């Protein structure tokens, strides 16, 4: 069956590393997360070598209570094996949507690696001139942002957007669309892949409500200096590879 790749279909379903998560599967297929985890563990137990290759356990912070829980990231093969037994109209619709998402992301990654070779000497000269102009125009800001990786302390997304010269709303939209972060309730959380890469972190704080004496926990998403350097490459230098 040939699935037509929708370039926008992978948003929120598949990451840049061509993986999805047990939490996303649980949400989209309408299944309890603990049941999805149970099914994944059965697959891993049935064939440990294959299972460990296609499923990776990773922690996440629940913004509702600040507690850390476990979920699984999975490859396209892991996803296909997991949902094979899911039945019903809703299951079929989401099976197709996820396959479209995997194909769309794979297509996007291939396109980002491509380069249009000039077809004539004149085209090559024009391309070189355009690139030279762009580099000179961006050089002061790019040089300044290169220093971010060596700076100390992470910043909240609002401050990161200001440093990058972006509108806060559009910056959050980009984070969501490119699988850097997702919104749960009133808080934003970073995807485990970006946290592992050192681009994002969670600042968890516990405090006492003076009126009631109750203990509360807040989770604040922050962009690390390494993350700011990577974002500078994307937004200032145009390097999305």
């Amino acid at each position: 069956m040939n699935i037509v790749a929708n370039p926008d279909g992978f948003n929120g379903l598949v990451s840049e590393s061509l993986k999805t998560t047990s939490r996303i599967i649980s949400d989209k297929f309408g299944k309890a997360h603990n049941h999805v985890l149970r099914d994944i563990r059965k697959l891993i137990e049935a064939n440990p070598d294959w299972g460990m290759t296609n499923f990776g356990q990773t922690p996440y912070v629940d913004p509702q209570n600040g507690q850390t829980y476990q979920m699984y990231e999975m490859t396209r093969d892991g996803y296909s094996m997991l949902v094979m037994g899911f039945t019903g109209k809703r299951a079929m619709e989401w099976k197709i949507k996820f396959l479209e998402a995997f194909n769309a992301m794979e297509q996007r990654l291939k396109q980002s690696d491509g380069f249009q070779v000039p077809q004539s000497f004149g085209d090559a000269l024009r391309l070189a001139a355009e690139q030279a102009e762009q580099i000179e125009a961006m050089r002061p800001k790019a040089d300044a942002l290169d220093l971010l990786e060596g700076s100390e302390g992470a910043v909240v997304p609002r401050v990161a957007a200001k440093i990058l010269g972006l509108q806060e709303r559009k910056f959050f939209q980009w984070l969501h669309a490119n699988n850097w972060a997702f919104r749960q309730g009133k808080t934003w959380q970073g995807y485990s892949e970006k946290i592992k890469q050192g681009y994002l972190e969670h600042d968890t704080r516990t405090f006492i409500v003076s009126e009631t004496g109750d203990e509360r926990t807040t989770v604040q998403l922050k962009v690390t200096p390494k993350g700011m350097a990577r974002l500078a490459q994307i937004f200032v230098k145009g390097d999305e590879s």
Side-chain angles (χ1 to χ4, degrees):
M1 179 178 180
N2 293 325
I3 301 295
V4 178
N6 175 1
D8 297 319
F10 54 79
N11 289 349
L13 299 181
V14 176
S15 70
E16 293 176 341
S17 58
L18 285 175
K19 292 181 180 180
T20 188
T21 73
S22 56
R23 295 185 68 210
I24 296 176
I25 295 294
S26 169
D27 176 55
K28 301 306 181 183
F29 283 87
K31 294 183 176 293
H33 190 223
N34 63 320
H35 291 171
V36 176
L37 295 178
R38 176 199 61 196
D39 293 343
I40 291 174
R41 288 168 183 145
K42 286 182 179 180
L43 291 173
I44 295 175
E45 291 173 1
N47 192 323
D49 289 339
W50 181 89
M52 295 302 292
T53 298
N54 291 283
F55 295 99
Q57 197 168 21
T58 184
Y60 71 94
V61 177
D62 189 327
Q64 302 301 320
N65 57 24
Q67 297 296 311
T68 300
Y69 299 99
Q70 296 296 315
M71 68 176 180
Y72 280 95
E73 290 183 323
M74 68 195 77
T75 64
R76 175 163 31 195
D77 288 344
Y79 156 80
S80 299
M81 188 66 71
L82 174 65
V83 305
M84 185 180 296
F86 292 0
T87 59
K89 182 179 179 181
R90 176 177 181 176
M92 179 56 70
E93 290 175 352
W94 280 106
K95 284 180 182 180
I96 294 174
K97 286 181 180 179
F98 270 91
L99 288 176
E100 288 177 339
F102 274 110
N103 287 346
M105 178 60 80
E106 185 175 46
Q107 184 181 72
R108 172 182 169 178
L109 293 174
K110 287 180 179 178
Q111 290 175 343
S112 67
D113 290 336
F115 175 72
Q116 292 293 329
V117 178
Q119 299 300 308
S120 68
F121 183 66
D123 289 341
L125 289 176
R126 281 192 293 272
L127 177 62
E130 290 174 359
Q131 291 180 338
E133 290 178 0
Q134 292 173 357
I135 291 173
E136 287 303 315
M138 293 188 298
R139 189 182 303 279
K141 193 172 183 180
D143 289 344
L145 287 170
D146 279 340
L147 300 176
L148 289 171
E149 189 166 12
S151 64
E152 296 182 0
V155 296
V156 297
R158 174 176 54 80
V159 175
K162 186 175 181 179
I163 294 173
L164 294 166
L166 302 172
Q167 292 183 7
E168 183 178 348
R169 177 177 59 82
K170 291 186 177 180
F171 182 54
F172 275 109
Q173 289 176 344
W174 185 92
L175 290 175
H176 181 266
N178 290 273
N179 295 292
W180 275 58
F182 59 94
R183 188 168 184 173
Q184 190 168 55
K186 295 182 179 181
T187 63
W188 282 83
Q189 293 188 48
Y191 279 107
S192 59
E193 176 190 357
K194 300 306 178 186
I195 294 174
K196 288 180 179 178
Q197 291 175 325
Y199 295 158
L200 301 173
E201 66 181 30
H202 291 133
D203 184 6
T204 303
R205 297 184 180 183
T206 301
F207 62 95
I208 304 297
V209 180
S210 58
E211 293 82 358
T212 63
D214 295 335
E215 185 176 271
R216 298 286 179 84
T217 300
T218 61
V219 179
Q220 174 67 65
L221 176 67
K222 289 189 174 182
V223 184
T224 66
K226 182 178 180 181
M228 287 300 301
R230 179 69 186 111
L231 291 169
Q233 290 179 322
I234 294 172
F235 290 107
V236 179
K237 299 180 182 179
D239 176 16
E240 297 192 26
S241 60

